Short mmCIF file of all heavy atoms in Angstrom, two decimals:
data_model
loop_
_atom_site.label_atom_id
_atom_site.label_comp_id
_atom_site.label_asym_id
_atom_site.label_seq_id
_atom_site.Cartn_x
_atom_site.Cartn_y
_atom_site.Cartn_z
N ARG A 1069 -17.28 42.57 -154.23
CA ARG A 1069 -16.77 42.26 -155.58
C ARG A 1069 -15.46 41.50 -155.47
O ARG A 1069 -14.60 41.84 -154.65
CB ARG A 1069 -16.59 43.52 -156.42
CG ARG A 1069 -15.62 43.34 -157.58
CD ARG A 1069 -15.84 44.30 -158.71
NE ARG A 1069 -16.96 43.90 -159.55
CZ ARG A 1069 -17.04 44.23 -160.86
NH1 ARG A 1069 -16.09 44.93 -161.45
NH2 ARG A 1069 -18.08 43.86 -161.57
N TYR A 1070 -15.32 40.50 -156.35
CA TYR A 1070 -14.07 39.75 -156.48
C TYR A 1070 -13.61 39.84 -157.92
O TYR A 1070 -14.38 39.60 -158.85
CB TYR A 1070 -14.28 38.29 -156.10
CG TYR A 1070 -13.08 37.41 -156.41
CD1 TYR A 1070 -12.01 37.33 -155.51
CD2 TYR A 1070 -13.00 36.69 -157.60
CE1 TYR A 1070 -10.90 36.54 -155.80
CE2 TYR A 1070 -11.90 35.91 -157.89
CZ TYR A 1070 -10.85 35.84 -156.99
OH TYR A 1070 -9.75 35.06 -157.28
N ASN A 1071 -12.34 40.21 -158.13
CA ASN A 1071 -11.75 40.34 -159.46
C ASN A 1071 -10.49 39.48 -159.50
O ASN A 1071 -9.51 39.78 -158.81
CB ASN A 1071 -11.42 41.80 -159.76
CG ASN A 1071 -10.75 41.98 -161.11
OD1 ASN A 1071 -10.60 41.04 -161.88
ND2 ASN A 1071 -10.33 43.20 -161.40
N SER A 1072 -10.51 38.42 -160.30
CA SER A 1072 -9.38 37.50 -160.35
C SER A 1072 -8.14 38.12 -160.97
O SER A 1072 -7.03 37.66 -160.74
CB SER A 1072 -9.76 36.23 -161.12
OG SER A 1072 -10.04 36.55 -162.48
N ASN A 1073 -8.31 39.18 -161.78
CA ASN A 1073 -7.18 39.77 -162.51
C ASN A 1073 -6.82 41.16 -162.02
O ASN A 1073 -6.36 42.00 -162.79
CB ASN A 1073 -7.50 39.84 -164.01
CG ASN A 1073 -7.37 38.50 -164.69
OD1 ASN A 1073 -7.71 37.48 -164.10
ND2 ASN A 1073 -6.87 38.46 -165.90
N SER A 1074 -7.03 41.44 -160.75
CA SER A 1074 -6.63 42.74 -160.23
C SER A 1074 -5.12 42.90 -160.31
O SER A 1074 -4.37 41.93 -160.14
CB SER A 1074 -7.10 42.90 -158.78
OG SER A 1074 -6.50 41.92 -157.95
N ILE A 1075 -4.68 44.12 -160.59
CA ILE A 1075 -3.25 44.36 -160.75
C ILE A 1075 -2.55 44.26 -159.41
O ILE A 1075 -3.16 44.43 -158.36
CB ILE A 1075 -2.99 45.74 -161.39
CG1 ILE A 1075 -3.51 46.86 -160.46
CG2 ILE A 1075 -3.63 45.84 -162.74
CD1 ILE A 1075 -3.19 48.24 -160.98
N PRO A 1076 -1.23 43.94 -159.41
CA PRO A 1076 -0.49 43.85 -158.14
C PRO A 1076 -0.60 45.13 -157.33
O PRO A 1076 -0.51 46.24 -157.88
CB PRO A 1076 0.95 43.60 -158.61
CG PRO A 1076 0.82 42.97 -159.96
CD PRO A 1076 -0.40 43.60 -160.58
N GLY A 1077 -0.81 44.98 -156.04
CA GLY A 1077 -0.96 46.12 -155.15
C GLY A 1077 -2.40 46.44 -154.83
O GLY A 1077 -2.66 47.19 -153.88
N LEU A 1078 -3.34 45.90 -155.59
CA LEU A 1078 -4.77 46.10 -155.32
C LEU A 1078 -5.39 44.81 -154.82
O LEU A 1078 -4.97 43.71 -155.20
CB LEU A 1078 -5.50 46.58 -156.57
CG LEU A 1078 -5.12 47.95 -157.12
CD1 LEU A 1078 -5.97 48.27 -158.35
CD2 LEU A 1078 -5.31 49.03 -156.07
N LEU A 1079 -6.41 44.94 -153.98
CA LEU A 1079 -7.08 43.77 -153.44
C LEU A 1079 -7.86 43.05 -154.54
O LEU A 1079 -8.45 43.66 -155.42
CB LEU A 1079 -8.04 44.19 -152.33
CG LEU A 1079 -7.41 44.82 -151.08
CD1 LEU A 1079 -8.51 45.33 -150.15
CD2 LEU A 1079 -6.53 43.82 -150.36
N LYS A 1080 -7.88 41.73 -154.45
CA LYS A 1080 -8.68 40.94 -155.37
C LYS A 1080 -10.16 41.05 -155.04
O LYS A 1080 -11.02 40.93 -155.92
CB LYS A 1080 -8.24 39.48 -155.38
CG LYS A 1080 -6.94 39.19 -156.10
CD LYS A 1080 -6.67 37.72 -156.15
CE LYS A 1080 -5.42 37.42 -156.98
NZ LYS A 1080 -5.61 37.72 -158.41
N ASP A 1081 -10.49 41.24 -153.76
CA ASP A 1081 -11.88 41.39 -153.38
C ASP A 1081 -12.01 42.51 -152.35
O ASP A 1081 -11.05 42.85 -151.66
CB ASP A 1081 -12.47 40.08 -152.84
CG ASP A 1081 -11.72 39.59 -151.62
OD1 ASP A 1081 -10.61 40.10 -151.32
OD2 ASP A 1081 -12.23 38.68 -150.94
N TYR A 1082 -13.20 43.08 -152.26
CA TYR A 1082 -13.43 44.17 -151.31
C TYR A 1082 -14.92 44.27 -151.01
O TYR A 1082 -15.77 43.78 -151.76
CB TYR A 1082 -12.90 45.51 -151.84
CG TYR A 1082 -13.59 46.00 -153.09
CD1 TYR A 1082 -14.76 46.77 -153.02
CD2 TYR A 1082 -13.07 45.71 -154.34
CE1 TYR A 1082 -15.39 47.22 -154.17
CE2 TYR A 1082 -13.70 46.16 -155.50
CZ TYR A 1082 -14.86 46.91 -155.39
OH TYR A 1082 -15.49 47.34 -156.53
N TYR A 1083 -15.23 44.94 -149.88
CA TYR A 1083 -16.60 45.21 -149.46
C TYR A 1083 -16.82 46.72 -149.43
O TYR A 1083 -15.90 47.50 -149.20
CB TYR A 1083 -16.86 44.65 -148.05
CG TYR A 1083 -16.85 43.15 -147.97
CD1 TYR A 1083 -15.67 42.47 -147.67
CD2 TYR A 1083 -18.01 42.40 -148.17
CE1 TYR A 1083 -15.65 41.08 -147.57
CE2 TYR A 1083 -18.00 41.02 -148.07
CZ TYR A 1083 -16.81 40.37 -147.77
OH TYR A 1083 -16.80 39.00 -147.68
N LYS A 1084 -18.07 47.12 -149.66
CA LYS A 1084 -18.46 48.52 -149.55
C LYS A 1084 -19.80 48.58 -148.80
O LYS A 1084 -20.77 47.95 -149.20
CB LYS A 1084 -18.60 49.15 -150.93
CG LYS A 1084 -18.95 50.64 -150.88
CD LYS A 1084 -18.95 51.26 -152.26
CE LYS A 1084 -20.06 50.68 -153.12
NZ LYS A 1084 -20.16 51.38 -154.44
N PHE A 1085 -19.81 49.34 -147.71
CA PHE A 1085 -20.99 49.39 -146.86
C PHE A 1085 -21.54 50.82 -146.79
O PHE A 1085 -20.78 51.78 -146.63
CB PHE A 1085 -20.64 48.92 -145.44
CG PHE A 1085 -21.77 49.03 -144.46
CD1 PHE A 1085 -22.87 48.19 -144.53
CD2 PHE A 1085 -21.74 50.00 -143.46
CE1 PHE A 1085 -23.91 48.31 -143.64
CE2 PHE A 1085 -22.78 50.11 -142.56
CZ PHE A 1085 -23.87 49.26 -142.65
N ASN A 1086 -22.85 50.95 -146.95
CA ASN A 1086 -23.52 52.26 -146.83
C ASN A 1086 -24.73 52.08 -145.91
O ASN A 1086 -25.41 51.06 -145.93
CB ASN A 1086 -24.01 52.75 -148.19
CG ASN A 1086 -22.87 53.23 -149.08
OD1 ASN A 1086 -22.29 54.27 -148.85
ND2 ASN A 1086 -22.55 52.43 -150.07
N ALA A 1087 -25.00 53.12 -145.13
CA ALA A 1087 -26.17 53.10 -144.24
C ALA A 1087 -26.73 54.51 -144.11
O ALA A 1087 -26.00 55.50 -144.24
CB ALA A 1087 -25.79 52.55 -142.86
N ALA A 1088 -28.04 54.59 -143.86
CA ALA A 1088 -28.68 55.90 -143.73
C ALA A 1088 -29.92 55.79 -142.85
O ALA A 1088 -30.56 54.74 -142.78
CB ALA A 1088 -29.06 56.45 -145.10
N ILE A 1089 -30.22 56.89 -142.17
CA ILE A 1089 -31.45 57.01 -141.38
C ILE A 1089 -32.15 58.28 -141.86
O ILE A 1089 -31.54 59.36 -141.91
CB ILE A 1089 -31.15 57.09 -139.87
CG1 ILE A 1089 -30.47 55.81 -139.39
CG2 ILE A 1089 -32.43 57.34 -139.07
CD1 ILE A 1089 -30.07 55.84 -137.93
#
Side-chain angles (χ1 to χ4, degrees):
R1069 159 156 281 207
Y1070 172 84
N1071 178 5
S1072 65
N1073 283 37
S1074 61
I1075 63 175
L1078 294 181
L1079 296 174
K1080 285 185 175 292
D1081 60 347
Y1082 64 86
Y1083 293 91
K1084 182 175 66 174
F1085 176 71
N1086 287 287
I1089 298 176

